[in-house]
Amino acid sequence: MENVFIMDHPLIQHKISMLRDKNTGTNEFRKLVEEIGILMGYEALRDLPLKDVEVTTPIETCMTPVISGRKLAIIPVLRAGLGLVSSLLTLVPSAKVGHIGLYRDPVTHEPHEYYCKLPDPIEERIAVVVDPMLATGGSACSAVDFIKQKGGKNIKFMCIIAAPEGLERLHREHPDVQIYVGHLDRELNDNAYICPGLGDAGDRIFGTK
Ligand code: PRP
Ligand code: URA
């Protein structure tokens, strides 16, 4: 599928397996999410535009590439997406951070918005939406809808685990969005949880139940 990138790096796969383990505690879970975010961010940002600038080394003056043009906006979907923000800030410390608050109704599984604040001007930025889980795709599609309504044009979505249903829906509704997936899992269960998945990402990152 064009614009869908499923990671195959062994380090990412290894760390995702550790995340899945129900005996992995909050502290280790957070660290693993952050490490996976750095590894995935490295892949997701490989098409950032460059421009040459003049730099004087101890030997001579040369033209050398730096990241150019549109600035980055990291946009976590609350809550669980917060776990991936520090990873992308490690890679691009000058990035701005927006927030989209969504929760899934436990019965209908429909996303509900409770917060949205994006850095200006969003239309001039590359927006990287981060959320560890892409299940039905409802939350991801709503987040991308908000960003587009506010003028966002260049959007990437990064998740650690996706269900086939959610990946297909996000790609169908937003074929222009580049989607980065750490691992594509088997299916959703009747509660719209990803199988085998890792459980509730927000609860595991923040130690809630
Ligand atoms: C989780 C997850 C995604 C969403 C994915 O959040 O972090 O945002 O579910 O499910 P979907 O693809 O079916 O929409 P949740 O609503 O549990 O909120 P939380 O992060 O605050 O726990
Ligand atoms: N949200 C999660 O945190 N986990 C799932 O498996 C599905 C949605």
Side-chain angles (χ1 to χ4, degrees), residues 7-102:
M7 306 289 117
D8 58 3
H9 197 290
L11 285 175
I12 297 176
Q13 299 314 311
H14 177 86
K15 289 175 193 293
I16 290 176
S17 298
M18 294 167 76
L19 267 191
R20 294 187 192 278
D21 189 334
K22 67 176 185 183
N23 294 316
T24 297
T26 305
N27 186 17
E28 197 188 351
F29 193 91
R30 272 193 212 123
K31 280 193 203 144
L32 286 164
V33 167
E34 185 173 359
E35 289 166 9
I36 293 165
I38 292 173
L39 294 167
M40 289 189 65
Y42 174 80
E43 283 300 323
L45 301 180
R46 68 161 57 248
D47 61 352
L48 284 186
L50 293 170
K51 67 175 180 200
D52 279 342
V53 297
E54 192 177 276
V55 168
T56 303
T57 77
I59 309 298
E60 62 178 35
T61 297
C62 63
M63 296 303 287
T64 190
V66 295
I67 305 294
S68 84
R70 288 180 289 192
K71 298 267 187 275
L72 207 68
I74 305 164
I75 306 178
V77 177
L78 306 180
R79 293 174 299 165
L82 289 173
L84 289 162
V85 173
S86 60
S87 317
L88 294 186
L89 282 176
T90 297
L91 297 173
V92 186
S94 63
K96 300 287 188 286
V97 181
H99 295 86
I100 296 181
L102 293 170

Side-chain angles (χ1 to χ4, degrees), residues 104 133 135 192-194 199-202:
R104 283 203 321 179
M133 309 303 275
Y193 271 81
I194 300 174
D200 188 304

Side-chain angles (χ1 to χ4, degrees), residues 80 104 133-136 188 191-195 197-203:
R104 283 203 321 179
M133 309 303 275
L134 178 61
T136 64
L188 294 176
N191 293 322
Y193 271 81
I194 300 174
C195 305
L198 50 73
D200 188 304
D203 283 346

Side-chain angles (χ1 to χ4, degrees), residues 2-3 16 21 25 41 83 90-91 124 152 157 162 165 174:
E2 203 192 342
N3 278 347
I16 290 176
D21 189 334
T90 297
L91 297 173
E124 289 174 19
F157 180 87
E165 297 89 331
H174 296 287

Side-chain angles (χ1 to χ4, degrees), residues 43-188:
E43 283 300 323
L45 301 180
R46 68 161 57 248
D47 61 352
L48 284 186
L50 293 170
K51 67 175 180 200
D52 279 342
V53 297
E54 192 177 276
V55 168
T56 303
T57 77
I59 309 298
E60 62 178 35
T61 297
C62 63
M63 296 303 287
T64 190
V66 295
I67 305 294
S68 84
R70 288 180 289 192
K71 298 267 187 275
L72 207 68
I74 305 164
I75 306 178
V77 177
L78 306 180
R79 293 174 299 165
L82 289 173
L84 289 162
V85 173
S86 60
S87 317
L88 294 186
L89 282 176
T90 297
L91 297 173
V92 186
S94 63
K96 300 287 188 286
V97 181
H99 295 86
I100 296 181
L102 293 170
Y103 72 91
R104 283 203 321 179
D105 184 287
V107 177
T108 65
H109 310 133
E110 285 299 313
H112 294 272
E113 184 204 355
Y114 58 88
Y115 190 79
C116 182
K117 180 116 183 165
L118 303 179
D120 267 344
I122 194 67
E123 60 272 21
E124 289 174 19
R125 298 179 186 275
I126 298 171
V128 186
V129 182
V130 292
D131 190 333
M133 309 303 275
L134 178 61
T136 64
S139 303
C141 287
S142 294
V144 172
D145 284 339
F146 289 135
I147 296 167
K148 287 186 173 174
Q149 278 162 23
K150 294 191 185 273
K153 292 182 182 65
N154 193 341
I155 303 172
K156 295 172 184 276
F157 180 87
M158 195 174 106
C159 65
I160 296 179
I161 295 182
E165 297 89 331
L167 180 60
E168 277 157 29
R169 177 171 170 190
L170 180 59
H171 183 61
R172 187 176 62 248
E173 292 190 18
H174 296 287
D176 56 306
V177 171
Q178 292 169 308
I179 308 172
Y180 300 87
V181 177
H183 194 272
L184 183 60
D185 272 17
R186 194 181 68 247
E187 62 186 353
L188 294 176

